[in-house]
Coordinates of all heavy atoms in Angstrom, one line a residue:
V186 N 0.9 -1.2 0.0 CA 0.0 0.0 0.0 C 0.9 1.2 0.0 O 1.8 1.3 0.8 CB -0.9 0.0 1.2 CG1 -1.7 1.3 1.3 CG2 -1.8 -1.2 1.2
A187 N 0.6 2.2 -0.9 CA 1.5 3.4 -1.0 C 1.6 4.2 0.2 O 2.6 4.8 0.5 CB 0.9 4.2 -2.2
G188 N 0.6 4.2 1.1 CA 0.6 5.0 2.3 C 1.6 4.5 3.3 O 1.8 5.1 4.3
R189 N 2.1 3.3 3.1 CA 3.0 2.7 4.1 C 4.4 2.6 3.5 O 5.2 1.8 4.0 CB 2.5 1.3 4.4 CG 1.2 1.3 5.1 CD 0.8 0.0 5.5 NE -0.6 0.0 6.1 CZ -1.3 -1.0 6.3 NH1 -0.9 -2.2 6.0 NH2 -2.5 -0.9 6.9
V190 N 4.8 3.4 2.5 CA 6.1 3.3 1.9 C 6.8 4.6 2.2 O 6.2 5.7 2.1 CB 5.9 3.1 0.4 CG1 7.2 3.2 -0.3 CG2 5.4 1.7 0.1
A191 N 8.1 4.5 2.5 CA 9.0 5.6 2.5 C 10.2 5.3 1.7 O 10.7 4.2 1.8 CB 9.3 6.0 4.0
V192 N 10.7 6.2 1.0 CA 11.9 6.1 0.2 C 13.0 6.9 0.9 O 12.8 8.2 1.0 CB 11.7 6.5 -1.3 CG1 13.0 6.4 -2.1 CG2 10.6 5.7 -1.9
V193 N 14.1 6.3 1.2 CA 15.1 7.0 2.0 C 16.4 7.1 1.1 O 16.8 6.1 0.5 CB 15.5 6.3 3.3 CG1 16.6 7.0 4.0 CG2 14.3 6.2 4.2
A194 N 16.9 8.3 0.9 CA 18.1 8.6 0.2 C 19.1 9.3 1.1 O 18.8 10.3 1.7 CB 17.8 9.4 -1.1
L195 N 20.3 8.7 1.2 CA 21.4 9.3 2.0 C 22.6 9.6 1.2 O 23.0 8.8 0.3 CB 21.8 8.3 3.1 CG 20.7 7.8 4.0 CD1 21.2 6.6 4.9 CD2 20.1 8.9 4.9
N196 N 23.1 10.8 1.4 CA 24.4 11.2 0.7 C 25.5 11.3 1.8 O 25.5 12.3 2.5 CB 24.1 12.5 0.0 CG 25.3 12.9 -0.8 OD1 26.3 12.2 -0.9 ND2 25.3 14.1 -1.4
F197 N 26.4 10.4 1.8 CA 27.5 10.4 2.7 C 28.7 11.2 2.2 O 29.7 11.3 2.8 CB 27.9 9.0 3.1 CG 26.9 8.3 3.9 CD1 26.2 7.2 3.4 CD2 26.5 8.7 5.2 CE1 25.2 6.5 4.1 CE2 25.6 8.1 5.9 CZ 24.9 7.0 5.4
A198 N 28.6 11.7 1.0 CA 29.7 12.5 0.3 C 29.6 13.9 0.8 O 28.5 14.4 1.1 CB 29.6 12.4 -1.2
A199 N 30.7 14.6 0.7 CA 30.7 16.0 1.1 C 30.3 17.0 -0.1 O 30.5 18.2 0.0 CB 32.1 16.4 1.6
I200 N 29.9 16.4 -1.2 CA 29.4 17.2 -2.3 C 28.0 16.9 -2.6 O 27.5 15.8 -2.4 CB 30.3 17.0 -3.5 CG1 30.3 15.5 -4.0 CG2 31.7 17.4 -3.3 CD1 30.9 15.2 -5.3
A201 N 27.2 17.9 -3.1 CA 25.8 17.7 -3.5 C 25.7 16.8 -4.7 O 26.6 16.8 -5.6 CB 25.2 19.0 -3.7
R202 N 24.7 16.1 -4.8 CA 24.3 15.3 -6.0 C 23.1 15.8 -6.6 O 22.0 15.6 -6.1 CB 24.1 13.8 -5.6 CG 25.2 13.1 -4.8 CD 26.4 13.0 -5.7 NE 27.5 12.3 -5.0 CZ 28.7 12.1 -5.4 NH1 29.1 12.6 -6.6 NH2 29.6 11.5 -4.7
T203 N 23.2 16.7 -7.6 CA 22.1 17.3 -8.3 C 21.6 16.4 -9.4 O 22.3 15.7 -10.1 CB 22.4 18.7 -8.8 OG1 23.5 18.6 -9.7 CG2 22.8 19.6 -7.7
G204 N 20.2 16.4 -9.5 CA 19.6 15.6 -10.5 C 19.9 14.1 -10.3 O 20.0 13.3 -11.3
Y205 N 19.9 13.6 -9.1 CA 20.1 12.2 -8.7 C 18.8 11.4 -8.9 O 17.8 11.8 -8.3 CB 20.7 12.1 -7.3 CG 21.2 10.8 -6.9 CD1 22.5 10.4 -7.4 CD2 20.4 9.9 -6.1 CE1 22.9 9.1 -7.0 CE2 20.9 8.7 -5.8 CZ 22.2 8.3 -6.2 OH 22.7 7.0 -5.9
R206 N 18.9 10.4 -9.7 CA 17.7 9.5 -9.9 C 17.6 8.5 -8.8 O 18.6 7.8 -8.5 CB 17.8 8.9 -11.3 CG 16.5 8.1 -11.7 CD 16.5 7.7 -13.1 NE 16.6 8.8 -14.0 CZ 15.5 9.5 -14.4 NH1 14.4 9.3 -13.9 NH2 15.7 10.5 -15.3
I207 N 16.4 8.4 -8.3 CA 16.1 7.4 -7.3 C 14.9 6.5 -7.7 O 13.9 7.1 -8.1 CB 15.7 8.0 -5.9 CG1 16.9 8.9 -5.4 CG2 15.3 7.0 -4.9 CD1 16.6 9.7 -4.2
G208 N 15.0 5.2 -7.7 CA 13.9 4.4 -8.0 C 12.8 4.4 -6.9 O 13.1 4.4 -5.7
V209 N 11.5 4.4 -7.4 CA 10.4 4.4 -6.4 C 9.4 3.4 -6.9 O 9.3 3.0 -8.1 CB 9.7 5.8 -6.4 CG1 10.7 6.9 -5.8 CG2 9.3 6.3 -7.7
P210 N 8.6 2.8 -5.9 CA 7.8 1.7 -6.3 C 6.5 2.0 -6.9 O 5.8 1.1 -7.5 CB 7.5 1.1 -4.9 CG 7.6 2.2 -3.9 CD 8.7 3.1 -4.5
F211 N 6.0 3.3 -6.8 CA 4.7 3.6 -7.4 C 4.7 4.8 -8.3 O 5.6 5.7 -8.1 CB 3.7 3.9 -6.2 CG 3.6 2.8 -5.2 CD1 4.1 3.0 -3.9 CD2 2.9 1.7 -5.5 CE1 4.0 2.0 -3.0 CE2 2.8 0.6 -4.6 CZ 3.3 0.8 -3.3
P212 N 3.8 4.9 -9.2 CA 3.7 6.2 -10.0 C 3.0 7.2 -9.2 O 2.5 7.0 -8.1 CB 2.8 5.7 -11.2 CG 1.9 4.7 -10.6 CD 2.8 3.9 -9.6
G213 N 3.0 8.5 -9.7 CA 2.4 9.6 -9.0 C 3.3 10.5 -8.3 O 4.5 10.6 -8.6
V214 N 2.8 11.3 -7.4 CA 3.5 12.4 -6.7 C 4.1 11.9 -5.4 O 3.4 11.2 -4.6 CB 2.5 13.5 -6.5 CG1 3.2 14.7 -5.7 CG2 2.0 14.1 -7.8
Y215 N 5.3 12.3 -5.2 CA 6.0 12.0 -3.9 C 6.3 13.4 -3.2 O 6.6 14.3 -3.9 CB 7.3 11.3 -4.2 CG 7.1 9.8 -4.5 CD1 6.6 9.4 -5.7 CD2 7.4 8.8 -3.5 CE1 6.4 8.1 -6.0 CE2 7.1 7.5 -3.8 CZ 6.7 7.1 -5.0 OH 6.5 5.8 -5.3
R216 N 6.3 13.4 -1.9 CA 6.6 14.6 -1.2 C 7.8 14.3 -0.3 O 7.9 13.2 0.2 CB 5.4 15.2 -0.5 CG 5.0 14.5 0.7 CD 3.8 15.2 1.4 NE 3.3 14.5 2.5 CZ 3.8 14.5 3.7 NH1 4.8 15.3 4.0 NH2 3.3 13.8 4.7
E217 N 8.5 15.4 0.0 CA 9.6 15.3 0.9 C 9.1 15.4 2.3 O 8.6 16.4 2.8 CB 10.5 16.5 0.6 CG 11.8 16.4 1.3 CD 12.7 17.6 1.0 OE1 12.5 18.7 1.6 OE2 13.5 17.5 0.0
A218 N 9.2 14.3 3.0 CA 8.7 14.2 4.4 C 9.8 14.7 5.4 O 9.5 15.2 6.5 CB 8.3 12.8 4.8
L219 N 11.1 14.5 5.0 CA 12.2 14.9 5.9 C 13.4 15.2 5.0 O 13.7 14.5 4.0 CB 12.6 13.8 6.8 CG 13.8 14.2 7.7 CD1 13.3 14.7 9.0 CD2 14.7 13.0 7.9
N220 N 14.0 16.3 5.3 CA 15.3 16.7 4.7 C 16.2 17.2 5.8 O 16.0 18.2 6.4 CB 15.0 17.9 3.7 CG 16.3 18.4 3.1 OD1 17.4 18.0 3.4 ND2 16.2 19.3 2.1
S221 N 17.2 16.4 6.1 CA 18.1 16.7 7.2 C 18.9 18.0 7.0 O 19.5 18.5 7.9 CB 19.0 15.5 7.5 OG 20.0 15.4 6.5
D222 N 18.9 18.5 5.7 CA 19.6 19.7 5.4 C 18.7 21.0 5.5 O 19.1 22.1 5.2 CB 20.3 19.6 4.1 CG 21.4 20.7 3.8 OD1 22.2 20.9 4.8 OD2 21.4 21.4 2.8
A223 N 17.5 20.8 6.0 CA 16.5 21.9 6.1 C 17.0 22.9 7.1 O 17.7 22.6 8.1 CB 15.2 21.4 6.4
V224 N 16.6 24.1 6.9 CA 17.0 25.2 7.8 C 16.5 25.0 9.2 O 17.2 25.3 10.2 CB 16.5 26.6 7.2 CG1 16.8 27.7 8.2 CG2 17.1 26.9 5.9
C225 N 15.4 24.4 9.3 CA 14.8 24.1 10.7 C 15.7 23.1 11.5 O 15.5 23.0 12.7 CB 13.4 23.6 10.6 SG 13.1 22.1 9.8
Y226 N 16.5 22.4 10.8 CA 17.5 21.5 11.5 C 18.9 22.0 11.5 O 19.9 21.3 11.6 CB 17.5 20.1 10.8 CG 16.2 19.4 10.8 CD1 15.6 19.0 9.6 CD2 15.5 19.1 11.9 CE1 14.3 18.4 9.5 CE2 14.3 18.5 11.9 CZ 13.7 18.1 10.7 OH 12.5 17.5 10.7
A227 N 19.0 23.4 11.3 CA 20.3 24.1 11.2 C 21.1 23.7 10.0 O 22.3 23.8 10.0 CB 21.1 23.9 12.5
G228 N 20.4 23.3 8.9 CA 21.1 22.9 7.7 C 21.2 24.1 6.8 O 20.8 25.3 7.1
N229 N 21.6 23.9 5.5 CA 21.8 25.0 4.6 C 20.5 25.2 3.7 O 20.5 26.0 2.8 CB 23.0 24.7 3.7 CG 24.3 24.7 4.4 OD1 24.5 25.6 5.3 ND2 25.2 23.8 4.1
G230 N 19.5 24.3 3.8 CA 18.3 24.5 3.0 C 18.4 23.9 1.6 O 17.7 24.2 0.8
G231 N 19.4 23.0 1.4 CA 19.5 22.3 0.1 C 18.5 21.3 -0.1 O 17.8 20.9 0.8
G232 N 18.4 20.8 -1.3 CA 17.5 19.7 -1.6 C 16.2 20.2 -2.2 O 16.1 21.4 -2.6
F233 N 15.2 19.4 -2.3 CA 14.0 19.7 -2.9 C 12.9 19.8 -1.8 O 12.6 18.9 -1.1 CB 13.6 18.6 -3.9 CG 12.3 19.0 -4.7 CD1 12.4 19.8 -5.8 CD2 11.1 18.5 -4.3 CE1 11.2 20.1 -6.5 CE2 9.9 18.8 -5.0 CZ 10.0 19.6 -6.1
D234 N 12.3 21.0 -1.7 CA 11.4 21.2 -0.6 C 10.0 21.3 -1.2 O 9.5 22.3 -1.7 CB 11.6 22.5 0.1 CG 10.7 22.8 1.3 OD1 10.2 21.8 1.8 OD2 10.5 23.9 1.6
G235 N 9.3 20.1 -1.4 CA 8.0 20.1 -2.0 C 7.6 18.7 -2.5 O 7.9 17.7 -1.9
E236 N 7.1 18.7 -3.7 CA 6.6 17.5 -4.3 C 7.2 17.3 -5.6 O 7.7 18.2 -6.3 CB 5.1 17.6 -4.5 CG 4.3 17.7 -3.2 CD 2.8 17.8 -3.4 OE1 2.4 18.1 -4.5 OE2 2.1 17.6 -2.4
M237 N 7.3 16.0 -6.0 CA 7.9 15.7 -7.3 C 7.1 14.6 -8.0 O 6.5 13.7 -7.2 CB 9.3 15.3 -7.2 CG 9.6 14.1 -6.3 SD 11.2 14.1 -5.6 CE 10.9 15.2 -4.2
Q238 N 7.0 14.6 -9.2 CA 6.2 13.6 -10.0 C 7.2 12.4 -10.4 O 8.2 12.7 -11.0 CB 5.6 14.2 -11.2 CG 4.8 13.2 -12.1 CD 3.5 12.8 -11.5 OE1 2.8 13.6 -10.9 NE2 3.1 11.6 -11.7
A239 N 6.8 11.2 -10.1 CA 7.5 10.0 -10.5 C 7.3 9.9 -12.0 O 6.3 10.1 -12.6 CB 7.1 8.8 -9.8
C240 N 8.4 9.4 -12.7 CA 8.3 9.2 -14.1 C 8.5 7.7 -14.4 O 8.9 6.9 -13.5 CB 9.3 10.0 -14.9 SG 11.0 9.7 -14.4
S241 N 8.1 7.3 -15.6 CA 8.1 5.9 -16.0 C 9.5 5.4 -16.5 O 9.6 4.7 -17.4 CB 7.1 5.6 -17.1 OG 5.8 5.8 -16.6
V242 N 10.5 5.8 -15.7 CA 11.9 5.5 -16.0 C 12.3 4.5 -15.0 O 12.5 4.9 -13.8 CB 12.9 6.7 -16.1 CG1 14.3 6.2 -16.3 CG2 12.4 7.7 -17.2
P243 N 12.5 3.2 -15.3 CA 12.9 2.2 -14.3 C 14.3 2.5 -13.8 O 15.2 3.0 -14.6 CB 12.9 0.9 -15.1 CG 12.0 1.1 -16.2 CD 12.2 2.6 -16.6
H244 N 14.5 2.3 -12.5 CA 15.8 2.6 -11.9 C 15.9 1.8 -10.5 O 14.9 1.8 -9.8 CB 16.0 4.1 -11.7 CG 17.4 4.5 -11.4 ND1 18.4 4.3 -12.4 CD2 18.0 5.0 -10.3 CE1 19.5 4.7 -11.9 NE2 19.3 5.1 -10.6
M245 N 17.0 1.3 -10.2 CA 17.3 0.7 -8.9 C 16.3 -0.5 -8.7 O 15.9 -0.7 -7.5 CB 17.3 1.7 -7.8 CG 18.3 2.8 -7.9 SD 18.1 4.0 -6.5 CE 19.6 4.8 -6.6
G246 N 15.9 -1.2 -9.7 CA 15.0 -2.3 -9.5 C 13.6 -1.9 -9.3 O 12.7 -2.8 -9.0
Q247 N 13.2 -0.7 -9.5 CA 11.9 -0.2 -9.4 C 11.4 0.2 -10.8 O 12.2 0.6 -11.7 CB 11.8 1.0 -8.5 CG 12.3 0.7 -7.1 CD 11.4 -0.3 -6.4 OE1 10.2 -0.3 -6.5 NE2 12.0 -1.1 -5.5
L248 N 10.1 0.2 -11.0 CA 9.5 0.6 -12.3 C 9.4 2.1 -12.5 O 9.2 2.5 -13.7 CB 8.1 0.0 -12.4 CG 8.0 -1.5 -12.4 CD1 6.6 -2.0 -12.5 CD2 8.8 -2.1 -13.6
F249 N 9.5 2.9 -11.5 CA 9.4 4.3 -11.6 C 10.6 5.0 -10.9 O 11.3 4.3 -10.2 CB 8.1 4.8 -11.0 CG 6.9 4.1 -11.5 CD1 6.4 3.0 -10.9 CD2 6.3 4.5 -12.7 CE1 5.3 2.3 -11.4 CE2 5.2 3.8 -13.2 CZ 4.7 2.7 -12.6
S250 N 10.8 6.3 -11.2 CA 11.8 7.0 -10.5 C 11.5 8.5 -10.4 O 10.6 9.0 -11.1 CB 13.2 6.8 -11.3 OG 13.1 7.3 -12.6
V251 N 12.2 9.2 -9.5 CA 12.2 10.6 -9.3 C 13.6 11.2 -9.4 O 14.6 10.4 -9.1 CB 11.5 11.0 -8.0 CG1 10.0 10.6 -8.0 CG2 12.2 10.4 -6.8
L252 N 13.7 12.4 -9.8 CA 15.0 13.1 -9.7 C 15.0 14.1 -8.5 O 14.1 14.8 -8.4 CB 15.2 13.9 -11.0 CG 15.5 13.1 -12.3 CD1 15.6 14.0 -13.5 CD2 16.7 12.3 -12.2
V253 N 16.0 14.0 -7.7 CA 16.2 14.8 -6.6 C 17.5 15.5 -6.5 O 18.5 15.0 -7.2 CB 15.9 14.0 -5.2 CG1 14.5 13.4 -5.2 CG2 17.0 12.9 -5.1
D254 N 17.6 16.5 -5.7 CA 18.9 17.1 -5.4 C 19.3 16.7 -4.0 O 18.6 17.0 -3.1 CB 18.9 18.6 -5.5 CG 18.7 19.1 -7.0 OD1 19.0 18.3 -7.9 OD2 18.3 20.2 -7.2
L255 N 20.3 15.9 -3.9 CA 20.7 15.4 -2.5 C 21.8 16.3 -2.0 O 22.9 16.5 -2.6 CB 21.3 14.0 -2.6 CG 20.4 12.8 -2.9 CD1 21.1 11.5 -3.1 CD2 19.5 12.7 -1.7
P256 N 21.5 17.0 -0.9 CA 22.5 17.9 -0.3 C 23.7 17.1 0.2 O 23.5 15.9 0.5 CB 21.7 18.6 0.9 CG 20.3 18.3 0.6 CD 20.2 17.1 -0.2
P257 N 24.8 17.7 0.4 CA 26.0 17.0 0.9 C 25.7 16.6 2.4 O 25.1 17.3 3.2 CB 27.1 17.9 0.8 CG 26.5 19.3 0.7 CD 25.1 19.1 0.1
L258 N 26.2 15.4 2.7 CA 26.1 14.9 4.1 C 24.7 15.0 4.7 O 24.5 15.4 5.8 CB 27.2 15.6 5.0 CG 28.6 15.5 4.5 CD1 29.5 16.4 5.3 CD2 29.1 14.1 4.5
A259 N 23.7 14.6 3.9 CA 22.3 14.7 4.3 C 21.5 13.5 3.9 O 22.0 12.7 3.2 CB 21.8 16.0 3.7
G260 N 20.3 13.5 4.4 CA 19.3 12.5 4.0 C 18.0 13.0 3.7 O 17.6 14.1 4.2
L261 N 17.3 12.4 2.8 CA 15.9 12.7 2.4 C 15.0 11.5 2.6 O 15.4 10.4 2.4 CB 15.9 13.1 0.9 CG 16.7 14.3 0.4 CD1 16.5 14.4 -1.1 CD2 16.4 15.6 1.1
V262 N 13.8 11.8 3.0 CA 12.8 10.8 3.1 C 11.6 11.3 2.3 O 11.1 12.4 2.5 CB 12.3 10.6 4.6 CG1 11.2 9.5 4.6 CG2 13.4 10.1 5.5
L263 N 11.3 10.4 1.3 CA 10.2 10.8 0.4 C 9.0 9.8 0.6 O 9.3 8.6 0.8 CB 10.6 10.6 -1.1 CG 11.9 11.4 -1.5 CD1 12.3 11.0 -2.9 CD2 11.7 12.9 -1.3
I264 N 7.8 10.3 0.6 CA 6.6 9.4 0.7 C 5.6 9.7 -0.4 O 5.5 10.9 -0.9 CB 6.0 9.6 2.1 CG1 5.5 11.0 2.3 CG2 6.9 9.1 3.2 CD1 4.7 11.2 3.6
P265 N 5.0 8.7 -0.9 CA 4.0 8.9 -1.9 C 2.8 9.7 -1.3 O 2.4 9.5 -0.2 CB 3.5 7.5 -2.3 CG 4.3 6.5 -1.5 CD 5.1 7.3 -0.5
C266 N 2.2 10.6 -2.1 CA 1.1 11.4 -1.6 C -0.1 10.4 -1.5 O -0.2 9.4 -2.2 CB 0.7 12.5 -2.6 SG 2.0 13.8 -2.5
L267 N -1.1 10.8 -0.6 CA -2.2 9.9 -0.4 C -3.0 9.6 -1.6 O -3.6 8.5 -1.7 CB -3.1 10.5 0.7 CG -2.5 10.6 2.1 CD1 -3.5 11.4 3.0 CD2 -2.1 9.3 2.6
E268 N -3.0 10.5 -2.6 CA -3.8 10.2 -3.8 C -3.3 9.0 -4.5 O -3.9 8.3 -5.3 CB -3.7 11.4 -4.8 CG -4.2 12.7 -4.3 CD -3.2 13.4 -3.4 OE1 -2.1 13.7 -3.9 OE2 -3.5 13.7 -2.3
N269 N -2.0 8.6 -4.2 CA -1.4 7.4 -4.9 C -1.8 6.1 -4.2 O -1.4 5.0 -4.6 CB 0.1 7.5 -4.8 CG 0.7 8.7 -5.6 OD1 0.0 9.2 -6.5 ND2 1.9 9.1 -5.4
S270 N -2.5 6.2 -3.0 CA -2.7 5.0 -2.2 C -3.5 3.9 -2.9 O -3.5 2.7 -2.4 CB -3.4 5.4 -0.9 OG -4.6 5.9 -1.2
S271 N -4.1 4.2 -4.0 CA -4.9 3.1 -4.7 C -3.9 2.2 -5.5 O -4.3 1.2 -6.1 CB -5.9 3.7 -5.6 OG -5.3 4.5 -6.6
S272 N -2.6 2.6 -5.6 CA -1.7 1.8 -6.4 C -1.3 0.6 -5.7 O -1.2 0.5 -4.6 CB -0.4 2.7 -6.6 OG -0.7 3.8 -7.4

């Protein structure tokens, strides 16, 4: 069920990874649930603050993928929006 899925991306490198493709299990919109580089966590505010549409490009063993900007030494948690829960 889409409402019980979280996609976690960690960047252990000291450089940002822009346009980094991550495989996701469902089509539709994903939102950023956590960004450890957010200003509210004393970070630099890097990454994608909002929602992104999954595309039909298979990656990492998944049928769909999203493109994100991974801040250096940070982690992102993406979750499918509730509208996707019928997937």
